[in-house]
């Protein structure tokens, strides 16, 4: 009786498993047109996956460089700002008056220089004829040089006054997003007063703390993959690793730079992302991704074995482009169907015919 019960249990198990049971058909299947691919062994990269934080390379607080009262703040938090846009306006009456005064001093200095230069020209002619002494000539020449120096000084003062006038219009240093307004319209500011804070989205990087036990391998291979929101991976080989560990966490700050050709990638400062660092290499079995049949959370393949299809469960590892690592369920050189849909149709048809 015990043997009969075991036989019945086995029959029920086989019947209940259906397609999931790796049963082999007793008669050859018609595999015409079904292409297969061999399971191959490949040298793959071993990785450690860590959490990273996206940070902007250019993030700055713009401060006032002159005194006055804020008269306009054209942009608000969240607004897109282009490089060269006026992001704050400060009263300019005092600075304009300084420019006018400096201009008047320049005009006066130039007039005095013209007079001194003409005087030097006249006395140089009579000095050649021996009418005046060398001491008198030297005195006129020194006056001309002094007048020229006053012109240079006045022009420098004018340039400084014009620069201070330009400071009344605060210009965005680069394109980005305004993240904070630190003053309001009507506020009185002085040089150094913080006005606005902005961040550039054009140049970002990933900030990761690498554990001490992995830092040597990360330094050796200097290669990382950044996981994007759509599930794709972005590879970077530009890593900036701190030479010393943090005293409290014993981890090494590592900055993963975004490749220049990935400017269209959407990574927002402050957001979390996963970064996989290469720590070594290992021989592993790989198969094409399109040869894998998904049954919910379970992965399987159709193995071709002597004109038979065997539906076999496998355990997968990481994805590498159009291939995926097989951790268990297959052996090297096993032949599997490359077209899952066609293989499933042949398997189902043969199962029905065998009933």
């Amino acid at each position: 009786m015990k043997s009969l019960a075991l036989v019945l249990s086995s029959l029920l198990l086989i019947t209940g498993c259906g397609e999931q049971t790796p049963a082999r058909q007793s008669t050859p299947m018609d595999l015409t047109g079904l292409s297969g691919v061999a399971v191959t062994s490949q040298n793959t990269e071993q990785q450690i996956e860590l959490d990273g934080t996206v940070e902007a390379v250019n993030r700055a607080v713009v401060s006032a460089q002159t005194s006055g009262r804020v008269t306009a703040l054209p942009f608000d938090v969240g607004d897109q700002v282009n490089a060269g846009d006026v992001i704050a306006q400060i009263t300019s009456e005092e600075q304009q008056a300084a420019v006018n005064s400096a201009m008047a001093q320049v005009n006066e200095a130039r007039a005095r220089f013209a007079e001194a230069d003409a005087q030097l020209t006249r006395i140089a002619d009579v000095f050649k004829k021996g009418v005046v002494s060398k001491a008198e000539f030297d005195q006129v020449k020194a006056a001309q040089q002094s007048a020229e120096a006053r012109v240079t000084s006045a022009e420098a003062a004018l340039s400084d006054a014009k620069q201070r006038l330009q400071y009344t219009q605060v210009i965005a240093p680069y394109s980005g997003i305004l993240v904070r307004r630190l003053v309001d319209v009507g506020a009185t500011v002085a040089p150094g007063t913080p006005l606005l804070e902005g961040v550039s989205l054009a140049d970002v990087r990933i900030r990761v703390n690498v554990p001490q036990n992995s830092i040597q391998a990360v330094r050796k291979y200097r290669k990382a993959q950044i996981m994007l929101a759509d599930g794709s991976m972005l590879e970077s080989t530009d890593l900036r690793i701190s030479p010393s560990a943090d005293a409290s966490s014993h981890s090494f700050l590592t900055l993963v730079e975004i490749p220049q050709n990935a400017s269209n990638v959407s990574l927002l400062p402050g957001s979390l992302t996963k970064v996989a660092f290469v720590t070594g290499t290992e021989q592993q079995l790989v198969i094409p991704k399109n040869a894998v049949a998904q049954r919910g959370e379970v992965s399987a393949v159709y193995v071709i074995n002597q004109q038979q299809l065997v539906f076999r469960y496998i355990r997968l590892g990481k994805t590498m482009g159009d291939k995926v690592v097989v951790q268990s369920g297959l052996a090297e050189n096993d032949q599997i169907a490359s077209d899952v849909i066609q293989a499933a149709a042949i398997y189902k048809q043969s199962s029905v015919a065998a009933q």
Side-chain angles (χ1 to χ4, degrees):
M1 293 296 292
K2 185 175 181 180
S3 300
L4 179 59
L6 290 174
V7 171
L8 290 174
S9 299
S10 299
L11 290 174
L12 289 173
L13 178 61
I14 293 173
T15 304
C17 289
E19 187 186 51
Q20 296 179 356
T21 303
R24 182 177 299 174
Q25 304 298 322
S26 58
T27 59
M29 297 182 182
D30 183 8
L31 304 184
T32 304
L34 180 63
S35 60
V37 61
V39 179
T40 60
S41 177
Q42 182 174 318
N43 193 32
T44 61
E45 296 173 339
Q46 300 302 296
Q47 298 176 330
I48 177 176
E49 190 174 281
L50 300 171
D51 290 326
T53 303
V54 182
E55 70 172 19
V57 176
N58 293 319
R59 185 186 185 104
V61 175
V62 179
S63 301
Q65 293 180 275
T66 188
S67 301
R69 180 172 50 83
V70 178
T71 59
L73 294 170
F75 298 95
D76 206 344
V77 174
D79 288 344
Q80 173 71 43
V81 178
N82 296 319
D85 286 347
V86 177
I87 56 177
Q89 180 71 51
I90 301 173
T91 51
S92 60
E93 288 80 1
E94 182 180 347
Q95 291 80 359
Q96 185 61 59
V99 170
N100 296 338
S101 176
M103 180 61 74
Q105 292 177 6
V106 168
N107 292 335
E108 179 184 1
R110 287 174 178 171
R112 292 188 177 277
F113 170 73
E115 180 183 1
D117 192 57
Q119 178 66 16
L120 178 62
T121 301
R122 289 192 296 269
I123 200 170
D125 291 338
V126 295
F127 174 70
K128 292 178 182 179
K129 299 176 182 178
V131 177
V132 297
S133 64
K134 188 176 184 307
E136 187 175 357
F137 172 78
D138 290 343
Q139 183 178 5
V140 174
K141 184 177 181 179
Q144 186 261 2
Q145 293 174 341
S146 178
E148 185 179 13
R150 283 194 293 272
V151 170
T152 302
S153 176
E155 289 176 344
L158 176 61
S159 178
D160 181 68
K162 287 181 177 180
Q163 185 63 62
R164 292 179 184 278
L165 178 60
Q166 291 181 2
Y167 287 155
T168 61
Q169 286 190 330
V170 182
I171 306 299
Y174 47 76
S175 299
I177 302 293
L178 188 67
V179 296
R180 278 203 302 169
R181 281 176 52 169
L182 304 174
V183 294
D184 296 320
V185 174
T188 300
V189 297
T193 302
L195 301 175
L196 303 160
E197 182 177 359
V199 59
S200 173
L201 302 182
D203 195 5
V204 297
R205 59 191 177 190
I206 314 298
R207 187 183 186 94
V208 186
N209 291 319
V210 178
Q212 180 177 337
N213 58 1
S214 301
I215 193 62
Q216 292 301 328
V218 172
R219 287 185 188 277
K220 177 181 178 180
Y221 291 97
R222 306 188 74 86
K223 186 177 179 181
Q225 286 186 324
I226 305 163
M227 183 177 293
L228 303 179
D230 60 0
S232 61
M233 304 295 286
L234 180 65
E235 188 172 295
S236 174
T237 56
D238 188 0
L239 308 183
R240 301 177 185 273
I241 304 173
S242 173
S244 59
D246 181 81
S248 58
S249 64
H250 306 293
S251 60
F252 289 77
L253 173 62
T254 301
L255 299 176
V256 182
E257 302 290 341
I258 305 299
Q260 294 295 325
N261 58 358
S263 57
N264 59 336
V265 173
S266 178
L267 290 170
L268 299 179
S271 60
L272 293 176
T273 188
K274 294 288 186 180
V275 180
F277 293 94
V278 176
T279 57
T281 58
E282 182 183 359
Q283 285 291 124
Q284 289 184 308
L285 300 178
V286 295
I287 60 174
K289 284 196 303 183
N290 56 13
V292 178
Q294 291 295 144
R295 298 294 184 268
E297 298 295 327
V298 179
S299 302
V301 293
Y302 290 93
V303 179
I304 303 173
N305 186 8
Q306 297 179 355
Q307 287 300 108
Q308 298 290 331
L309 282 181
V310 179
F311 188 75
R312 186 181 299 175
Y313 294 130
I314 60 175
R315 187 158 60 93
L316 300 179
K318 66 179 181 178
T319 300
M320 304 182 302
D322 60 349
K323 295 185 177 181
V324 62
V325 172
V326 179
Q327 295 181 337
S328 64
L330 291 173
E332 189 173 3
N333 297 324
D334 279 351
Q335 292 289 322
I336 61 174
S338 58
D339 189 334
V340 176
I341 297 177
Q342 184 182 4
I346 296 174
Y347 188 91
K348 184 176 181 180
Q349 182 180 6
S350 299
S351 299
V352 172
Q355 293 179 354

